[in-house]
Amino acid sequence: MGVEEVGRKPRAAVYIDGFNLYRRALEHRPDCRWLDVRRLSETLLPDFEVVLVRYFTARVRFVEGEDPAAPSRQSAYLRALATLPAVTTHFGTFRSDRRWMAKSPLELDDDGSPRTVRVRKIEEKGSDVSLAAHLVCDAMDGLVDAAFVLSNDSDFVDALRIVRERGGVEIGLMCPSPSPARSLLALEPDHVRHVRAAVMRDSQLPDRIADVHGVITRPKSWRARSTEAPPEAGLRAR
């Protein structure tokens, strides 16, 4: 899909895997968590017109043993994101289940079966499927000239391949890790950007933001470095 109008920047959309971003880039940087995802996208993509930023996450709930303030911090952040033009939020499901799982390293009972322990498994479901679906649909609808995925999750390989091969759209990675996953690089993406700490620090929302419900204030513990766990604490990085 080419850019027909002379002088017009190609249109780009950014698809953000919220939990992957936290785990890969923000877990140890609380001062960067009040992130303006639109400003970040525009900074990393100066040669594009960023027409759409989709942010995919799940609303966290309090889980015994985790930080009880995590849901309220996330709620404030999601309200702040909702004030940004051309930014949309999309929600999966936050799950906390108790289940039996094999011990690691593996131990066997006398009958040869693995010994198990009762664990609490915290996970997010549905965001990846939603991201891939919107990515493909936006490309097929001709909304963009380039599609960037901010994640290091190899589950998006097929969706990115379809977007380029069937939608005729350039594909790009915005990597929150030091290097992209091999399977993503194997796609030979048209563009690769790295989400570094410096650009995140320069892409912060104002400490106070007004919306239709009142004033949203940046969580105090997100204004400087701290050792608190992020809202997504306990979720496995993909």
Side-chain angles (χ1 to χ4, degrees), residues 13-25:
V14 178
Y15 303 82
I16 300 175
D17 179 349
F19 282 101
N20 197 273
L21 171 61
Y22 266 93
R23 274 298 184 214
R24 300 291 185 179

Side-chain angles (χ1 to χ4, degrees), residues 15-227:
Y15 303 82
I16 300 175
D17 179 349
F19 282 101
N20 197 273
L21 171 61
Y22 266 93
R23 274 298 184 214
R24 300 291 185 179
L26 295 173
E27 183 170 10
H28 303 295
R29 298 187 180 96
D31 58 321
C32 293
R33 293 179 194 157
W34 197 238
L35 187 62
D36 183 332
V37 294
R38 181 174 178 83
R39 184 176 176 183
L40 174 75
S41 300
E42 292 175 337
T43 300
L44 291 176
L45 306 175
D47 297 327
F48 293 86
E49 178 189 2
V50 178
V51 297
L52 180 63
V53 179
R54 295 192 186 276
Y55 183 86
F56 298 83
T57 188
R59 295 186 185 276
V60 300
R61 302 191 310 273
F62 171 66
V63 176
E64 184 180 1
E66 302 292 346
D67 187 344
S72 63
R73 287 196 302 270
Q74 187 202 39
S75 179
Y77 180 61
L78 293 174
R79 278 181 61 193
L81 286 186
T83 67
L84 299 177
V87 174
T88 60
T89 52
H90 309 266
F91 298 98
T93 303
F94 180 86
R95 293 182 56 180
S96 175
D97 302 316
R98 297 184 183 276
R99 61 186 70 181
W100 291 94
M101 300 185 72
K103 297 181 67 175
S104 179
L106 185 66
E107 297 179 9
L108 301 179
D109 285 328
D110 294 338
D111 62 0
S113 61
R115 291 179 180 174
T116 59
V117 292
R118 181 84 163 168
V119 301
R120 183 185 64 201
K121 184 175 178 60
I122 302 174
E123 59 185 343
E124 171 270 333
K125 303 290 288 186
S127 292
D128 289 359
V129 174
S130 182
L131 190 156
H134 281 85
L135 173 66
V136 172
C137 287
D138 290 345
M140 296 303 183
D141 287 343
L143 298 182
V144 296
D145 303 303
F148 288 80
V149 171
L150 199 169
S151 179
N152 203 29
D153 189 343
S154 59
D155 287 349
F156 300 124
V157 165
D158 283 344
L160 285 166
R161 182 182 293 112
I162 291 170
V163 161
R164 180 161 60 187
E165 294 179 357
R166 300 291 299 276
V169 168
E170 292 183 352
I171 60 172
L173 304 177
M174 295 172 66
C175 187
S177 302
S179 59
R182 290 183 181 179
S183 56
L184 292 171
L185 282 179
L187 288 171
E188 298 183 352
D190 301 288
H191 311 277
V192 177
R193 303 289 189 270
H194 294 275
V195 182
R196 305 188 191 281
V199 72
M200 290 192 297
R201 284 193 292 266
D202 289 340
S203 302
Q204 296 295 292
L205 294 158
D207 286 347
R208 292 170 60 84
I209 303 170
D211 68 0
V212 296
H213 302 292
V215 176
I216 313 157
T217 303
R218 178 176 183 152
K220 184 177 181 180
S221 57
W222 287 7
R223 297 182 185 181
R225 292 187 179 277
S226 75
T227 58

